């Protein structure tokens, strides 16, 4: 019974490099959310995707950040030309199709990005 | 984003005592609320949820209370154990979105 899988668990990048964070949702889940967390802080919403569609990206910086959830394969959060301020834990969460029944988000264990 | 806040950023309780963690939410349109527990180095873990048509829900050693009049949510943990030490987040959900507070750090003293 695999949960939400994120990789890598830890990622170190130099300033200016690209970071790619992957997330495989739970089986049967078609909704993916990405959150960012700084130490001692809460979870800040970044983007909400369904298969092949971005539903809400209001929390995503306008530049350098992008996300996708293709028909096949994991969801990818991509950060181009990373800066030190991008250092954080990035969490992915998934939920099944939401109809009339509410469903909680199920989280992965995150990717800790360090920019040197 | 939405403002989901917690009254107490830190809480220390004696092992065996009951714990109460509070949360204020701001969006009247939120109809679904969730409590999560986050241990160091891990992702948030679902504890219990409640819909807006309820004011109380109980789980194993945990109870969530919802007061829509004052937009307040609380998590009660009975007979707190050392393994309950973690950061606890509440989340509110209007439509398909989920907004989180800053969290309360619970420390259980043996």
């Amino acid at each position: 019974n695999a949960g939400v899988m994120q990789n890598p668990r830890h990622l170190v990048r130099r300033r200016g490099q690209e970071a790619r964070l992957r997330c495989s949702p739970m089986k049967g889940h078609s909704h993916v959310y990405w959150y960012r967390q700084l130490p001692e802080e809460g979870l800040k919403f970044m983007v909400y995707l369904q298969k092949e569609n971005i539903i809400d990206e209001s929390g995503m910086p306008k530049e350098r950040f992008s996300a996708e959830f293709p028909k096949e394969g994991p969801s990818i959060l991509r950060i181009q030309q990373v800066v030190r301020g991008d250092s954080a834990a990035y969490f992915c969460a998934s939920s099944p199709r939401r109809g009339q029944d509410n469903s909680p988000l199920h989280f992965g264990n995150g990717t800790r990005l360090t920019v040197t | 984003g939405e403002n989901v806040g917690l009254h107490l950023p830190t809480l220390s309780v004696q092992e065996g005592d009951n714990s109460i963690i509070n949360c204020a939410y701001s969006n009247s349109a939120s109809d679904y609320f969730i409590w999560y527990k986050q241990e160091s180095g891990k992702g948030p873990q679902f504890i219990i949820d409640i819909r807006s048509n309820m004011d109380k829900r109980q789980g194993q050693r945990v109870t969530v209370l919802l007061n829509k009049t004052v937009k307040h949510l609380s998590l009660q943990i009975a007979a707190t154990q050392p393994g309950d030490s973690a950061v606890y987040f509440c989340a509110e959900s209007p439509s398909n979105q989920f907004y989180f507070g800053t969290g309360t750090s619970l420390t259980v003293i043996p």
Side-chain angles (χ1 to χ4, degrees), chain A residues 33 35 37 45 98 105 109, chain B residues 36 38 43 95-98:
Chain A
Y33 300 74
Y35 288 83
Q37 187 178 40
F45 167 75
R98 176 168 167 159
L105 295 181
N109 281 325
Chain B
Y36 286 90
Q38 187 178 27
S95 68
N96 286 322
Q97 198 41 285
F98 294 84

Side-chain angles (χ1 to χ4, degrees), chain A residues 9 33 35 37 41-43 45 48 56 91 98 102-105 107-109 112, chain B residues 31-32 34 36 38 41-44 46 51 89 93 95-98 100-102:
Chain A
R9 286 298 310 276
Y33 300 74
Y35 288 83
Q37 187 178 40
E41 294 190 8
L43 294 150
F45 167 75
Y48 162 39
D56 182 350
F91 289 96
R98 176 168 167 159
N102 301 109
S103 300
L105 295 181
F107 282 85
N109 281 325
R112 277 138 191 93
Chain B
D31 59 358
Y32 180 51
I34 314 164
Y36 286 90
Q38 187 178 27
K42 295 185 178 180
F46 170 81
R51 299 179 193 176
F89 294 96
S93 178
S95 68
N96 286 322
Q97 198 41 285
F98 294 84
F100 288 80
T102 53

